Amino acid sequence: HRVINYLDINRVEEDNREWDIGLKQGLLNCAVALPCISAGMVNPMMRMRGAARDKVDNVAKELQIMLALLDQVNAQRNEGTPGKLEAVYPILIGKPRDKDEALYPDTGNFFLDGSAQWVGAGGLVERVSPATSKAVEEFLGQHAIMISDATRSRTVKSTVSSLLALQGALLWNHGELPEEKLFETSEFWHMVQKEPPVPPLDLEQLKRLKAELRHLVPAIHEVVDRARAAHDLRDFARRERGDVEPGDA
């Protein structure tokens, strides 16, 4: 089963001028988006206050575009929609465990370790962040994508809570997992040390995280298969109606 991955951290340049180009290649051409939701991802979004002084948050922008594309797919199930996105399948990642915890180096449970509480405890504002919302609408408009009322009114908090409401995968201790190989001399480990994640991970935690992610691969393949089948079915219906010429899709 071959799945082509698009990792924005590898393919999108830090320069914002290249961001839209990279995102178009990614979100508009993938069947399933797999946003990784963690306390470390949500925490920077707490700086957004829903005020005119807010800066554009690229993570929030990407998440809101995912949801806008999904809104359009759900609203026009039997019609053609820009892009190929059929599903958003969040991967919920808990906090790393401390070395003195019994289940170290396993990842914590997102819903039990306080990660999910970041959303409901008032840390994320229930207000639209103007700069990010404007950037989302500009991107959608450039690609002839419907800008719905839901998109215009999507708040910082509802961006994350909407993702949590979707069917997703909970990444945490799955019992005995095959140990992944990752060495201190590897290029990947050097990259992690150069730009440490938040919260930080040691080598053993990173190896277990890799094993937990690999454990999810069959479930992700099932989601991708269903998404591709849904896209093919809608494309077939469009052809039957004569909406597209053969080879246009």
Side-chain angles (χ1 to χ4, degrees):
H1 197 309
R2 184 165 179 264
V3 176
I4 299 174
N5 298 313
Y6 179 96
L7 298 176
D8 56 5
I9 193 170
N10 290 337
R11 302 196 190 188
V12 178
E13 299 292 336
E14 292 183 3
D15 188 333
N16 282 337
R17 290 174 298 180
E18 301 295 327
W19 193 88
D20 282 347
I21 298 173
L23 190 64
K24 177 182 178 181
Q25 293 172 346
L27 279 180
L28 295 183
N29 290 284
C30 71
V32 179
L34 304 170
C36 294
I37 311 297
S38 67
M41 185 278 284
V42 173
N43 191 51
M45 293 173 63
M46 293 185 182
R47 294 193 292 265
M48 304 168 71
R49 307 314 303 163
R53 65 178 180 274
D54 285 358
K55 296 181 179 179
V56 175
D57 185 288
N58 276 345
V59 172
K61 177 181 176 181
E62 188 169 353
L63 297 178
Q64 289 187 13
I65 290 173
M66 285 182 196
L67 291 169
L69 289 171
L70 192 62
D71 288 342
Q72 179 153 310
V73 169
N74 291 333
Q76 302 178 353
R77 272 292 170 191
N78 297 319
E79 301 176 16
T81 57
K84 300 178 181 178
L85 187 71
E86 291 285 344
V88 176
Y89 190 67
I91 298 176
L92 309 179
I93 305 176
K95 298 176 182 178
R97 297 183 187 275
D98 294 331
K99 285 188 176 181
D100 58 357
E101 293 187 61
L103 293 177
Y104 168 88
D106 295 339
T107 303
N109 186 312
F110 181 86
F111 291 104
L112 300 179
D113 66 7
S115 297
Q117 282 65 34
W118 282 102
V119 179
L124 297 176
V125 297
E126 193 69 275
R127 290 193 292 273
V128 174
S129 187
T132 298
S133 182
K134 179 181 178 182
V136 169
E137 292 185 23
E138 287 177 351
F139 178 88
L140 298 175
Q142 289 168 3
H143 301 292
I145 299 170
M146 176 184 67
I147 303 174
S148 66
D149 290 340
T151 297
R152 291 190 176 93
S153 62
R154 188 156 280 132
T155 67
V156 178
K157 183 176 180 179
S158 67
T159 298
V160 178
S161 59
S162 295
L163 290 169
L164 295 181
L166 298 173
Q167 177 188 0
L170 182 61
L171 195 72
W172 68 301
N173 174 36
H174 288 90
E176 295 297 326
L177 296 176
E179 183 173 351
E180 292 287 335
K181 293 182 179 180
L182 187 62
F183 303 102
E184 292 183 349
T185 56
S186 69
E187 181 181 354
F188 181 70
W189 177 239
H190 287 307
M191 290 174 57
V192 171
Q193 290 181 305
K194 184 178 179 181
E195 297 185 27
V198 179
L201 295 169
D202 63 30
L203 186 62
E204 293 304 313
Q205 290 170 322
L206 202 59
K207 287 164 63 176
R208 182 50 62 96
L209 183 60
K210 186 178 179 181
E212 291 173 347
L213 286 167
R214 191 180 297 279
H215 181 75
L216 290 182
V217 169
I220 292 172
H221 283 176
E222 289 184 12
V223 175
V224 172
D225 284 341
R226 291 198 299 269
R228 286 174 172 168
H231 180 81
D232 290 345
L233 183 61
R234 188 167 62 250
D235 185 56
F236 175 78
R238 292 171 61 205
R239 293 181 187 281
E240 287 293 294
R241 297 195 305 269
D243 292 348
V244 296
E245 296 295 327
D248 283 353

